[in-house]
Every structure is written in C-alpha cells, then in structure tokens.
Amino acid sequence: MSKGIGKIQQIVKELVQKIPVQQEWTASEFISVYWNSYVKTYESNASVNGGVFEQLLVLSLLREGIYPVYTQARLAFVPNVILDIVLYNRKTPITISAKTTLRERWKQADLEAMATKYVHREAKCYVLTLSESEVSARRKEENSYMGIDAFVLAHTKEYDNLISEIKKINISAGETIKIIETDNQLYTPETVQEMYALSFT
C-alpha cells in the first residue's frame, strides 16, 4: 500500500480508538461523529479528506452487514474508469463516488456512471457527499446529469435510506470471470478487524 493510504488508515484508526463505535448509531450518525472529530482534530488536506471520507463510508457499510466492499475498483469492460466504491451484484452492481465537496467533480462522477451503465445497464450509481449547498444546487438542475441515480448526503437520514435500499440487493464477491478487475483493495469484516481492531459482527 502507498504511504498516502497508510496515513489515511492511521488517522481513521486514531478516530475510532478515540471514540468507540456505539451500537445504536445509524450509518449517518457513524459518518457524522467521526467526520466531525476528524475535522476538529486534523489539519485539512484535500487528498487526505477524501481518503478519510471514503474509509468512513467503507466502515459504515461493513457495520451494516454490507460487504464485500471494493475500493478504487475497475469493472470489466468499463475502460479508463476507477470507481471509489463498488458493491457487486451480477444484475445490479452499485457504485459510490465519494466526494467531500462536489464543485465540478460531480461531472466526472456522472461520466463514470454513464460509462458503467453502458455495460452494466441495471447498475445503480450514487454520489455520496457532505456538501448540502452543492447537493441542493444539483437537485435544482436534474437535467444536468444523466448517469448518477442520486446525490446523497452521507451525514443525514438520506444515507440511512440508501443503506436500506442497498440491503434489498444481494451483495457478493466479484465472480470468477473477474467482473471486478482490481480486488487488492477489498474490505470484509476480517480485513477491518485486522486493520482497525473493529468488530461489526
């Protein structure tokens, strides 16, 4: 793993050690608690911010019993697209683009979603973010994006609702024909136990 990823995982480990995970938290509360703690404790750095947010999303999914979680994944037959998070289902793969803020980056997420759906027609593609004002702006211009199914605020009940929808889909490991081409960054309850000393079972 690269030095950057090691640093991000160290930060997340410090966050969950400082504030123990509470069983009663919803997924959105999990994100809120640790993101707020991160913002208060660490100096802001754009690339680290994104990595920490992505790791918190991964942990929140695993905590809800949704796994395996692939990060920085390439889907077979979708060239030149690296997806932040992929949850695999043969008929309905789910992709999540994790953006702490949107600015113009939602356009890249939309292109990636369109490329994904060109091959995997039933795919669901979501942008998860923390920026309420930017999501509000995007929703006012629904015709401005074509591939994204929804912009979801990860620190609100919107994320809990999305979790409920994802739970209706049978998530599994990528198949032997290598639908997911990069599975070296695969998160399961076992890998998280090893990495963060967290148990969600």
Side-chain angles (χ1 to χ4, degrees):
M1 283 197 171
S2 72
K3 190 176 177 186
I5 287 177
K7 178 182 179 182
I8 286 161
Q9 288 172 337
Q10 183 58 39
I11 289 170
V12 173
K13 191 171 185 178
E14 288 166 11
L15 290 171
V16 296
Q17 285 177 341
K18 189 168 82 168
I19 306 172
V21 179
Q22 301 301 305
Q23 198 169 350
E24 67 273 12
W25 286 346
T26 62
S28 62
E29 286 170 337
F30 179 93
I31 297 295
S32 288
V33 167
Y34 290 117
W35 182 257
N36 290 339
S37 176
Y38 166 68
V39 169
K40 286 178 193 162
T41 311
Y42 298 90
E43 195 174 324
S44 182
N45 172 305
S47 62
V48 175
N49 293 353
V52 168
F53 181 48
E54 183 181 288
Q55 285 292 294
L56 292 178
L57 288 174
V58 167
L59 294 181
S60 69
L61 290 163
L62 287 166
R63 187 171 164 267
E64 293 292 331
I66 297 168
Y67 57 84
V69 180
Y70 295 89
T71 65
Q72 301 305 306
R74 296 177 193 268
L75 285 172
F77 319 117
V78 185
N80 308 317
V81 172
I82 300 174
L83 300 155
D84 292 342
I85 295 173
V86 174
L87 304 170
Y88 181 70
N89 172 281
R90 176 185 272 191
K91 182 170 184 258
T92 315
I94 295 167
T95 74
I96 293 173
S97 182
K99 309 279 184 219
T100 53
T101 60
L102 297 179
R103 293 197 287 278
E104 295 297 302
R105 287 177 295 179
W106 67 269
K107 293 178 180 175
Q108 178 66 28
D110 195 39
L111 289 172
E112 290 169 355
M114 285 190 287
T116 299
K117 288 181 174 182
Y118 185 75
V119 177
H120 304 274
R121 298 195 183 280
E122 301 292 316
K124 295 287 184 187
C125 303
Y126 300 99
V127 173
L128 266 65
T129 186
L130 300 160
S131 176
E132 296 185 24
S133 60
E134 291 175 312
V135 165
S136 177
R138 293 281 59 78
R139 287 177 181 161
K140 284 175 186 163
E141 300 176 14
E142 282 191 23
N143 295 334
S144 65
Y145 54 92
M146 294 168 61
I148 295 166
D149 285 278
F151 290 89
V152 178
L153 292 165
H155 59 301
T156 72
K157 292 234 178 296
E158 293 177 8
Y159 186 37
D160 303 325
N161 294 338
L162 177 61
I163 291 281
S164 297
E165 290 303 307
I166 292 172
K167 284 182 175 178
K168 295 174 186 173
I169 297 169
N170 181 32
I171 302 304
S172 64
E175 298 171 59
T176 50
I177 58 163
K178 277 295 205 189
I179 295 294
I180 295 179
E181 296 180 343
T182 45
D183 57 7
N184 58 323
Q185 294 190 59
L186 169 64
Y187 290 83
T188 63
E190 293 75 26
T191 59
V192 165
Q193 170 77 42
E194 190 178 314
M195 199 180 297
Y196 296 124
L198 282 177
S199 178
F200 295 142
T201 52

